[in-house]
Amino acid sequence: MIFDGLTVLQHRGQDAAGIVTSERRRLHLRKDNGLVKDVFQTHHMAELRGNVGLGHCRYPTAGSSSCAEAQPLYTNYPHGICVAHNGNLTNTHELTDVVRDTMQRHVNTDSDSEVLLNIFAECMMNRTGRGAAGHGCEAEDVFAAIEGVMEKCKGGYAGAYLINGVGIVGFRDPHGIRPVVLGSRQSSLGNGKLDYVLASESVAIDTLGFNLERDVRAGEAVFIDMRTGEMQSKICHPDASTSPCIFEYVYFARPDSIMDGVSVYESRLKMGEKLAEKVLKLHPDHDIDVVIPIPDTSRTSALQAAYCLGRPFREGFIKNRYIARTFIMPGQETRKKSVRLKLNTIKSEFAGRNVLLVDDSVVRGTTAREIVEMARDAGANKVYFTSAAPPIRYPNIYGIDIPTMRELVAYERDEEQIAKHIGCDWIIYQDLKDLEASVSTTAPPDQPLEKFDTSCFSAKYVTGETIGDEYFTRLHKLRNDAAQEERRGAPLKDSQSRSSMTGTMHSAPQSMDGCEPVSNDKRQSVTGAGSSCEPLNNN
């Protein structure tokens, strides 16, 4: 079941995948770099025993791509706790010092998820002491620990902790930046109780045959007690206020998902409508012959834009579905190379025509420039470009890889300069107020959405960061494309291979590619020798 859920959420991360399950207070873990279908084979699934578990697809925006940072992550004390986390902490640097120096806990990776795990574990220890797993741990202890996490951790984060022998607790940061939804169904055991599921998007709940109950609210924790089967929830932050990331609706989420009560599909239809209105306002005498989407995310907006413009909608690009989403691919060179592997043109839709291309957003401009060139190579007379999102001019610091301003095509460029850079005749971006209206007007009356995190468009960060802070300087050093390529093991020039006496020595490669085994169970494997799913043994 967890495997199926991860498969339909694969679009959220393609770097690594992992599952941990709990069986009679034993934890069984399998994780590795790669897609869900490649990480888990039949013999792995046979070893993942138990009726409670966590799964995760990794999309790296912090740390490295080492499989040591693949999730779920684990700490053995207290109880044995695992975490699956979506988002970014913005005070990881300070918290790492607290975890290491004050809490006296070892931090083994650069992942902020490990910090989040250790802070929760410390808060749990302070509540429950040294009791045996599952004993002396009640719902109020779990909620108190989450309160401690939310008091200390800053940023956009959501996810779940599995507390061995106790249960699962889902959580969402006090601003509700990253999404979490809750589903339920009647238990197959026929005991009149409910089974529960937590996921980043409702599409996973639908696929698994559960009913969507609701979104986890900003600052809320949802505790599912594996001992009783009961579910309890509590708002764990006094100033919680929902400001979801608007980029989820633009690009990240699947169109068949419902997030904070809003249909992603319906919001994208609205984006297309608003975009068409702006095209007609700026170019009332336009000579557009055909509207063509850039697959796949922009298709919904392009369809509605074509309808409102009174121009035919055509599929001019065919996507190779076996190539990953270029926006979330690690590394600029990888993204650039993958554009033409991912897309090919139907030349008859371009030849001699003035085409309006619709994309969900323009980030670095790499994909846009290649696509405009492909349209011209296919014989387009004029190429116009539109974006369903406003210009992205600032970093996203809450879990989406929009890292540094200098790598953004809209950084210090106006629309005319951007059009020249990507090679189109003109470009039109969605206005921010229209993007916000596209989502808010689609929200149900009993669940209004009035605020959003729009930081990558507006530089207004709901957690209080300001462009120019030391945090952004540190972020640029860690997350620019060159730094990420280096961490992935790209060859360094001789001058880069070792630091000077005043510099910083590069870390030695981790043994076994960062996948040291952590085994706490010596029982015989149900599949015999060669299994890679011994409890908490990833090698």
Side-chain angles (χ1 to χ4, degrees), residues 318-334:
I318 298 301
K319 179 182 176 182
N320 179 352
R321 299 187 183 278
Y322 300 96
I323 297 292
R325 301 175 93 180
T326 52
F327 173 75
I328 66 174
M329 278 185 169
Q332 175 77 342
E333 286 304 313
T334 305

Side-chain angles (χ1 to χ4, degrees), residues 15 43 84 186 193 236 266 284-285 294 310 385 473 528:
D15 188 66
H43 64 281
Q186 286 295 323
K193 294 187 176 182
C236 295
E266 294 290 341
D285 301 320
I294 298 171
F385 206 101
T473 302

Side-chain angles (χ1 to χ4, degrees), residues 27 29 74 515-521 534-539:
L27 296 173
L29 172 67
Y74 164 79
C515 290
E516 288 291 343
V518 186
S519 177
N520 69 346
D521 189 354
E534 276 296 310
L536 287 178
N537 184 356
N538 195 46
N539 187 68

